[in-house]
Amino acid sequence: MISNEAYVLELLQNSGAVSPEDMAACHQEAAMNGHSTLEGIVKKGLMTRDQILEFVAKDCGMEFVAAIEHVDEDVLATIPAPESRRYHALPIQRLPSGLRVAIPDPLDFETLDALRYLLKTDLEPVVVPLEKIDEAITKFFGKTDESLQTLMANMGGDELQVKAAGTGGDGEGATEEGDAPIIRMVYGMILEAHRLRASDIHLEPLEKRLRLRYRIDGNMQEMRDPPKRLQSSIVSRIKIMSNISIAEKRLPLDGRIALATADGPTLDLRVSTVPTIHGESVVMRILDKKNLMLGLPELGFFADDQAIMERVINYADGIFLVTGPTGSGKSTTLYACLNTINKPDRKLITVEDPVEYQLPGVNQVAVNSEIGMTFAAALRAMLRQAPNIIMVGEIRDVETASIAINASLTGHLVFSTLHTNDAPSAITRLVDMGVKPFLVSSSIRAVLAQRLIRKICPDCKEPYTPTETELRALNLNAASLAEARFSKGRGCDRCRGTGYRGRAGIFEIFSVDDEIRHLINENAPVSKIRQRARDLGMRTLREDGIRKVVSGMTTPEEVISATMGDKG
């Protein structure tokens, strides 16, 4: 009914709304029958639920409304539907000072603070009975049979099937009938994450709650928390599905899950557990096999950059590097390149840590340093397999770099990744590792630096006029402004109110020609190499991002955020 019952009871008695005798009788009946005293007051007919709610609302200085008759349509998008259902809160009117929001509990200050943080505005709360708010949410947002709560309640045991269910230590992989609700709950989390296009599921044990968050389009978003009391059971179920020992709770562990959904697609998840002071934290990375079928246009390349990329990945030999921080889409780009050039007349071998996606027609080798199968060792063995094309997951040391370079000089096309902030810095990174400059200059064909930006949601996309600050930050000239189609997402149910749905890359393509080779051989500083590449037509990450802002693909703030360190 209301969160702080003790406060409400004291308020009702002190105000005379309920006499001390009636209050004592309700206390006694509640103790005998196992319900709350407030329920006893309602059962005895002393006050209705709505009367109690109105009484408390008045004491808190809030207006009470028995039902929601009208909602301004322009305010519905201010709270995404999942958050509206989660908090049982509905925006009903825009005010000069903020928003008028319907809430069911005037004493739930934690929810009010969460809503203020979510909406970034002041709120004028209006108290409405819970069932009336839920009716209005259903009316204005529609029914949500796909929500995690409904999945947990209604999903049958065969909705998902574990394809490769392993045994987890003493878990034996078997489940008792009493574990069925836990199984449905875990499956519900995975299904909803897949439906929302999440890349990761994070289960984080805190002191008083088990926090559930999904990473959607690169940003963490909170979901409804599973019950804290079920924390151990949920983690154990995930570990059993991942073929991880449920007996070991002191060490970080890794596993995999393969799930076949009822509608056909198979979900692969990479699972990692880490012990924390409040229990084991679990992260499940959802490996979307649709990424295997991506071509270069789907990654976000414009026609001119795509032409350069197609030329580079069809070279007979040499090294092509993709650089960027963790989570910038390097692996997806490499898979798209391999998918483009994977033909029956070519032999492709990859060495990865770990093998995330299984590519049809490609020989894939997993690194296992515990038995000596390092990148360097695997690469040496791969060369004896007579491949045409090699992919090395990452160049981490001079030994791996040297073998990759030697492979490229002996007629192999080598793909790999490197951790640098921009494309030209890959040259100096290899030299700093200990590779001779003349070997770098003769083997590197091109380097691609990339970042990921969120795309504007197509369902709520609308014209937008950027601020002077954004225009100055992007250094846009009059010619660019004349052709610009600036857009922004208003926020809708499809994008959970963010205004963004899906991601694309922004790219910096650094091609090595004779002039650049000469500079590398002279051991020129990266600033000089970069400037020469700019003179020869290389676009920086920021400049490619500006093109995507002007085309209406993304917003200025996304590009500014992704290229904060780009001085170009």
Side-chain angles (χ1 to χ4, degrees), residues 261-297:
T261 62
D263 58 356
T266 299
L267 302 182
D268 287 324
L269 297 95
R270 195 176 75 205
V271 181
S272 170
T273 70
V274 173
T276 71
I277 59 173
H278 297 302
E280 290 179 280
S281 173
V282 179
V283 176
M284 291 181 276
R285 165 69 60 87
I286 301 174
L287 306 174
D288 193 346
K289 290 192 174 182
K290 288 185 293 186
N291 290 339
L292 297 181
M293 305 310 295
L294 292 179
L296 298 179

Side-chain angles (χ1 to χ4, degrees), residues 98 220 316:
M220 298 288 276

